[in-house]
Amino acid sequence: AQSVTQPDIHITVSEGASLELRCNYSYGATPYLFWYVQSPGQGLQLLLKYFSGDTLVQGIKGFEAEFKRSQSSFNLRKPSVHWSDAAEYFCAVGHTGTASKLTFGTGTRLQVTL
Amino acid sequence: EAQVTQNPRYLITVTGKKLTVTCSQNMNHEYMSWYRQDPGLGLRQIYYSMNVEVTDKGDVPEGYKVSRKEKRNFPLILESPSPNQTSLYFCASSPLGQGNQPQHFGDGTRLSIL
């Protein structure tokens, strides 16, 4: 069965510092991989996705993620964090078959200090 | 404006009293799904629908029903709610295509079952 691990429950960074959020997945084939962001009281917003091709994926709000098959990872990065990036971030893996199933990680809460 | 609209946003009710959470999208998406979000567990899929009259179980379907009579609507029905269904619920939609994974989320419905 597919699974996603986000090992960091809570991360605090200073505004302007770089950010990396970790995501490891377990899936038998090449997965579809996603990062979502959830601001307080809001639904989830898709930041970026990986289906195939270039392993470095660019998303919205200046985020990027790199798919590393050898490490089963899909870490999210941002070179310079803004206070408005404070939110909860979810990594998810999707089936590559016809079933439309997403499995989410448990999330990483990002706090940004000024 | 592209939207997934859930109602109600908040509901407190009692055990056994049937309730329906509505979900409507205005993007003509074929795929819709329901998730519940619980602390430390991330989001878990309850049910999903690939199109009108086509629904299937997700990871945690027990105690829930869905229907898809129209393309835009995908209500979640709790026939006999119990306290363990107290949670934050999200509806999501996306067009059919690569992965079919949800691209648009509603703002959530917080249910409290006493």
Side-chain angles (χ1 to χ4, degrees):
Chain A
Q2 60 195 44
S3 65
V4 178
T5 302
Q6 293 181 247
D8 303 305
I9 296 173
H10 187 207
I11 283 183
T12 300
V13 299
S14 300
E15 189 174 39
S18 63
L19 171 70
E20 182 168 27
L21 302 182
R22 296 183 291 165
C23 172
N24 293 97
Y25 68 89
S26 173
Y27 187 68
T30 299
Y32 293 158
L33 293 163
F34 304 80
W35 275 100
Y36 291 85
V37 60
Q38 184 181 31
S39 299
Q42 303 291 315
L44 278 74
Q45 182 181 23
L46 180 66
L47 281 176
L48 48 78
K49 57 190 177 186
Y50 171 79
F51 289 155
S52 64
D54 192 346
T55 57
L56 184 62
V57 180
Q58 302 297 321
I60 61 171
K61 304 187 180 191
F63 286 92
E64 67 178 26
E66 186 170 13
F67 170 58
K68 293 186 177 179
R69 184 191 304 275
S70 62
Q71 298 176 19
S72 297
S73 70
F74 189 56
N75 294 349
L76 182 72
R77 301 194 294 247
K78 187 169 185 178
S80 177
V81 169
H82 188 261
W83 64 267
S84 60
D85 292 324
E88 188 148 23
Y89 292 80
F90 292 93
C91 181
V93 60
H95 274 292
T96 52
T98 55
S100 297
K101 182 181 173 67
L102 260 186
T103 299
F104 283 85
T106 52
T108 298
R109 181 165 297 280
L110 174 65
Q111 184 176 356
V112 180
T113 58
L114 300 177
Chain B
E1 180 189 353
Q3 276 189 325
V4 177
T5 303
Q6 297 178 225
N7 280 296
R9 291 292 312 279
Y10 304 91
L11 179 63
I12 301 173
T13 188
V14 296
T15 298
K17 185 177 180 180
K18 181 180 178 180
L19 67 91
T20 299
V21 184
T22 63
C23 174
S24 182
Q25 50 95 3
N26 63 0
M27 295 164 281
N28 202 36
H29 286 168
E30 292 85 2
Y31 173 83
M32 298 183 75
S33 63
W34 277 102
Y35 292 83
R36 61 178 288 174
Q37 183 179 18
D38 301 291
L41 296 177
L43 280 82
R44 293 177 292 168
Q45 190 179 52
I46 303 170
Y47 269 94
Y48 65 93
S49 169
M50 301 288 283
N51 216 323
V52 174
E53 302 292 359
V54 180
T55 64
D56 207 348
K57 296 177 181 179
D59 288 323
V60 289
E62 296 77 19
Y64 304 95
K65 285 176 55 178
V66 292
S67 69
R68 188 89 181 273
K69 293 183 170 54
E70 302 168 287
K71 198 172 187 180
R72 63 182 292 122
N73 296 323
F74 190 45
L76 179 71
I77 303 156
L78 285 70
E79 293 269 2
S80 183
S82 63
N84 65 11
Q85 293 176 297
T86 293
S87 187
L88 179 59
Y89 291 84
F90 288 100
C91 181
S93 75
S94 69
L96 285 184
Q98 254 185 329
N100 303 335
Q101 277 75 14
Q103 312 261 336
H104 299 267
F105 279 79
D107 286 337
T109 295
R110 188 168 292 281
L111 289 184
S112 294
I113 316 294
L114 305 178

